[in-house]
Amino acid sequence: TISSSVSKTDQESVRRSGRDSRSCDSSALSSWTYAGRYRARCGGDKRISLKILVTGASGYIGQVLCPILREHEHTVRALDIAQAPGVESFDVVTEDLPLEGVDVVIPLAGYVGPKCERAPALARDVNQVAAERLAKRLDGRCCVYLTTDSGYSSGNLTNENEPFTPKSVYAITKAAGAEALRAQGATVF
């Protein structure tokens, strides 16, 4: 189920989206916790609207997360290679992310699953190289990066402090991207 730290409004948004709420845990939806900490440093109850850039906005998490962020009064720029209403067309492999004026970056774009084994160069470009390019350009911006449990060896429930021991092309490329971003101060889940 959704973590108790997620408000009723957020839970309702997940339900309205048609997604199974059990698949949306608090780490996948935690980008606004940064905003909460930011608000606390800036005077507590003040509503601060952050400018948030989301790649992979048409994907499984992105299409749930973007509406929730907007409901929390954040300005969201949604990018994806796949066409969808309210999402700008963008290719993370060939284009640099438009970071000007952005407070928070949530790079969700990824090349996933077994197709990575069939096209390892594309998996590397999307999952690793794009993250490495972003890491070099963060310049102090908050970045929330969702990795994969495929990068952890235990096969059990894990947390982001456990070491990566990836084996598949997907996990190896996601782990490399996560490490590049973590080295620049990104929050990696």
Side-chain angles (χ1 to χ4, degrees):
T1 61
I2 297 178
S3 166
S4 60
S5 67
V6 178
S7 74
K8 294 289 184 195
T9 302
D10 300 328
Q11 293 177 28
E12 183 57 34
S13 177
V14 170
R15 276 193 277 295
R16 282 195 317 268
S17 74
R19 293 289 185 189
D20 181 353
S21 65
R22 289 170 293 172
S23 67
C24 297
D25 66 15
S26 62
S27 66
L29 302 176
S30 67
S31 60
W32 62 80
T33 60
Y34 172 79
R37 287 191 298 258
Y38 192 68
R39 284 185 194 113
R41 287 196 308 262
C42 297
D45 294 330
K46 293 180 184 176
R47 294 295 266 166
I48 294 176
S49 177
L50 297 173
K51 292 181 179 118
I52 302 174
L53 177 69
V54 179
T55 67
S58 297
Y60 186 74
I61 296 171
Q63 63 181 299
V64 173
L65 181 61
C66 290
I68 291 171
L69 293 171
R70 288 182 178 115
E71 285 178 15
H72 282 267
E73 300 176 15
H74 299 298
T75 302
V76 177
R77 185 166 184 191
L79 307 175
D80 202 305
I81 199 166
Q83 295 295 312
V87 177
E88 296 175 50
S89 180
F90 188 84
D91 185 347
V92 297
V93 174
T94 61
E95 301 177 70
D96 282 332
L97 290 177
L99 297 178
E100 188 171 325
V102 171
D103 300 309
V104 180
V105 182
I106 305 175
L108 299 175
Y111 196 69
V112 300
K115 62 186 177 181
C116 293
E117 302 299 326
R118 295 187 297 274
L122 183 56
R124 183 178 180 279
D125 286 347
V126 174
N127 300 337
Q128 180 179 345
V129 175
E132 291 169 346
R133 282 195 349 253
L134 172 60
K136 291 176 185 172
R137 299 181 57 232
L138 278 177
D139 195 30
R141 287 176 186 85
C142 175
C143 179
V144 179
Y145 184 77
L146 304 181
T147 190
T148 173
D149 61 355
S150 299
Y152 297 103
S153 65
S154 69
N156 299 318
L157 290 177
T158 60
N159 70 52
E160 61 273 8
N161 296 318
E162 290 188 30
F164 282 118
T165 54
K167 303 211 180 344
S168 68
V169 170
Y170 172 68
I172 290 166
T173 58
K174 286 294 284 185
E179 290 307 314
L181 287 163
R182 184 180 280 133
Q184 294 300 318
T187 299
V188 176
F189 291 99

